Amino acid sequence: MKIIRVKINNKISNFKFLDSYYWINLNLPFLILVFIIKLNIVFLPNIKFRRCISQTQVIFLFFYGDFLYLRLLTKCIAIMNKIVTLDEFIIRTEKEKPHSSGSFSRLLRDIGIAAKIVNREVNKAGLVNILGVDGSTNSTGDDVQKLDVFANEKFIETLSYSGEVCGIASEENQDFIPVQTDKNKLAQYVVVMDPLDGSSNIDVNVSVGTIFGIYRRKSPAEGPCQLDDFLQKGTEMVAAGYVLYGTSTLLVYSSGNGVNGFTLDPSIGEFCLSHRNIQMPVAGNYYSVNQGYYLKFDLEMRRYIDHCSDLNYRLRYIGSMVSDIHRIMFQGGIFLYPNTRKYPKGKLRLLYECYPMAYLIEQAGGTAITCKLERVMEMDIHALHQTSSIAMGSRDMVKDMKEFVEKYGAVIQ
Ligand code: FDP
């Protein structure tokens, strides 16, 4: 449902529409019928009423309404088909919320700006000496790519200047970063992020992404932010999203009211609304898991993977969580990163990978659970870099997987 404002004959009216095309399809047969009836009346001269007025008057009387109606219709379609930029969309949605201060909009807009800067570097990564491992390791022991460092710096820099954020927790930093400037004394939000997810893909020019989540701070606004501001469950998140630096660059986010996707139009340098109210398929036939670890998975996971293979589901694994989840978000399927012998509690980070992705999946109508069948969003969090196993995707596929865990998990216990 869309509400648009149209100015016609100097009067502003609000109109509610399903969607321009549904709307035309619903109304068109009715309009054609009315039009044919009117034509018949105009050209049947024996009707009493017709003898009193001239042909021109009849035409004016009957068709002026239609003329106004068509004018309105074309205006509506033009407005609906107009490009909506991310900034415009954020401002519009914020306006719908009474008492909003606009600080949340500014924060989201700044995330969009940082994403554009990172996108520029990702795109020219092969051209400049920015590729390759810079020698250090991050807080969880992975090799740090130069682009990881760059993306981390840019996001921190942009968010710190925004004045809306009082702290940032990033995959690249062991501790959270309090942001203390004059501008953000009263900042209400903290941001958690993986600035460049799937970094092992950078050197080979395969899609990578950024994941982010936004929380409202819990500590008093006057002082510096505290660890507890970050250690909040996924259910407390106020917004989450990801940026996919792929064949085209997409920013997908939700602030609790459905999921919307924006594609970066390089010609105007703007993220433009391209995927409105994304709803993921209830079922699917893709499964996404690093099958190389098959023998290191628990029995129930191995059985479920066998089941997917038996049903000829298609295996797709890019090794970049954002890209893999993006596929199933649109085409349906399941993404799995179970616990292995190397990662007994799972590998993916709860705070800035699992929670934000689970938030989006649930908002799009899917399900996100751990391989121990807890709802990801309700998992307790004790540390910034805590990890978790994960199974998320189309509702029916996750339900099937759950049945396998219930059946074969019991065998071990
Ligand atoms: P990466 O280590 O390359 O940053 O964030 C962790 C992550 O990528 C996910 O994006 C990805 O799904 C997963 O790890 C890949 O891990 P494996 O190489 O163990 O499959």
Side-chain angles (χ1 to χ4, degrees):
M1 177 74 78
K2 204 169 182 180
I3 301 175
I4 61 168
R5 282 188 167 177
V6 180
K7 192 174 180 189
I8 193 157
N9 288 353
N10 289 328
K11 278 186 192 161
I12 296 182
S13 323
N14 287 325
F15 291 90
K16 288 187 179 178
F17 293 100
L18 286 172
D19 184 276
S20 56
Y21 296 105
Y22 288 125
W23 196 72
I24 295 169
N25 286 345
L26 283 175
N27 283 275
L28 208 57
F30 173 72
L31 281 179
I32 294 172
L33 186 72
V34 173
F35 186 75
I36 293 170
I37 295 171
K38 284 180 180 178
L39 269 185
N40 278 318
I41 296 176
V42 172
F43 294 107
L44 283 178
N46 287 334
I47 295 179
K48 199 175 172 191
F49 161 72
R50 273 285 289 109
R51 276 185 241 120
C52 313
I53 51 173
S54 71
Q55 181 103 352
T56 332
Q57 281 168 325
V58 172
I59 291 175
F60 180 78
L61 262 177
F62 277 10
F63 296 110
Y64 185 63
D66 286 359
F67 166 72
L68 284 181
Y69 186 74
L70 282 174
R71 236 183 96 187
L72 170 73
L73 185 66
T74 41
K75 277 204 173 198
C76 293
I77 292 169
I79 291 172
M80 279 190 277
N81 292 338
K82 182 179 159 277
I83 290 174
V84 179
T85 65
L86 176 65
D87 294 359
E88 219 177 315
F89 185 86
I90 293 169
I91 293 165
R92 274 195 211 172
T93 14
E94 184 91 353
K95 268 188 191 159
E96 283 164 21
K97 294 177 196 154
H99 317 301
S100 65
S101 64
S103 64
F104 183 66
S105 304
R106 287 193 289 275
L107 169 53
L108 280 174
R109 197 196 51 203
D110 289 336
I111 289 178
I113 293 172
K116 281 189 225 171
I117 300 172
V118 173
N119 174 65
R120 191 189 59 200
E121 291 312 305
V122 170
N123 280 333
K124 66 179 188 198
L127 296 171
V128 291
N129 186 24
I130 203 164
L131 280 177
V133 179
D134 91 343
S136 51
T137 50
N138 69 14
S139 54
T140 33
D142 298 338
D143 286 337
V144 174
Q145 312 282 139
K146 279 185 184 172
L147 213 46
D148 292 27
V149 179
F150 177 85
N152 195 36
E153 278 170 7
K154 285 301 152 199
F155 269 95
I156 292 174
E157 209 175 283
T158 317
L159 293 174
S160 306
Y161 285 128
S162 78
E164 312 302 339
V165 172
C166 64
I168 301 161
S170 162
E171 189 204 17
E172 302 301 334
N173 300 83
Q174 189 61 46
D175 295 317
F176 67 88
I177 305 156
V179 180
Q180 278 167 304
T181 62
D182 285 348
K183 232 175 134 192
N184 67 354
K185 267 187 196 140
L186 296 174
Q188 302 174 54
Y189 298 104
V190 296
V191 173
V192 295
M193 63 171 183
D194 182 353
L196 211 70
D197 174 71
S199 45
S200 55
N201 282 322
I202 300 168
D203 274 351
V204 284
N205 224 335
V206 175
S207 305
V208 285
T210 295
I211 307 174
F212 64 89
I214 303 173
Y215 289 101
R216 202 176 278 278
R217 75 181 294 177
K218 283 163 87 187
S219 57
E222 298 77 39
C225 65
Q226 307 294 327
L227 182 61
D228 280 352
D229 293 326
F230 297 92
L231 299 185
Q232 301 190 53
K233 288 184 180 184
T235 43
E236 304 296 315
M237 224 168 227
V238 291
Y242 63 77
V243 185
L244 172 64
Y245 310 99
T247 39
S248 52
T249 298
L250 253 111
L251 188 151
V252 175
Y253 92 95
S254 170
S255 52
N257 229 341
V259 186
N260 291 287
F262 301 80
T263 304
L264 183 64
D265 182 341
S267 64
I268 56 170
E270 291 285 354
F271 281 105
C272 302
L273 181 59
S274 50
H275 303 82
R276 190 185 286 277
N277 197 15
I278 301 164
Q279 281 295 306
M280 65 183 301
V282 176
N285 58 8
Y286 284 104
Y287 68 114
S288 185
V289 60
N290 189 339
Q291 206 153 343
Y293 301 148
Y294 179 84
L295 293 175
K296 282 139 194 136
F297 294 148
D298 291 341
L299 175 74
E300 60 272 25
M301 276 301 137
R302 296 203 300 267
R303 290 290 163 273
Y304 177 67
I305 291 169
D306 294 343
H307 164 78
C308 293
S309 170
D310 283 348
L311 292 180
N312 284 331
Y313 286 165
R314 285 177 276 179
L315 170 65
R316 295 287 185 276
Y317 189 69
I318 298 168
S320 151
M321 189 190 193
V322 172
S323 318
D324 285 316
I325 299 270
H326 185 72
R327 177 200 303 282
I328 60 166
M329 185 88 103
F330 284 86
Q331 300 188 327
I334 188 166
F335 173 86
L336 303 162
Y337 205 113
N339 41 299
T340 60
R341 268 180 246 152
K342 187 175 173 192
Y343 299 109
K345 290 189 174 158
K347 177 190 171 188
L348 300 182
R349 285 58 156 207
L350 184 58
L351 184 60
Y352 42 82
E353 290 183 318
C354 301
Y355 280 159
M357 286 308 202
Y359 184 98
L360 291 168
I361 289 276
E362 287 193 1
Q363 280 290 319
T367 311
I369 57 175
T370 67
C371 295
K372 302 286 173 234
L373 308 188
E374 300 133 301
R375 184 180 167 216
V376 172
M377 298 287 279
E378 287 175 7
M379 291 267 297
D380 285 331
I381 180 141
H382 312 289
L384 287 182
H385 301 288
Q386 185 175 324
T387 60
S388 167
S389 61
I390 195 145
M392 52 169 75
S394 294
R395 209 182 55 206
D396 288 358
M397 286 187 84
V398 178
K399 197 168 146 242
D400 276 359
M401 174 250 151
K402 208 173 155 189
E403 279 164 20
F404 273 82
V405 175
E406 278 160 0
K407 189 170 169 193
Y408 292 100
V411 174
I412 301 171
Q413 283 155 14

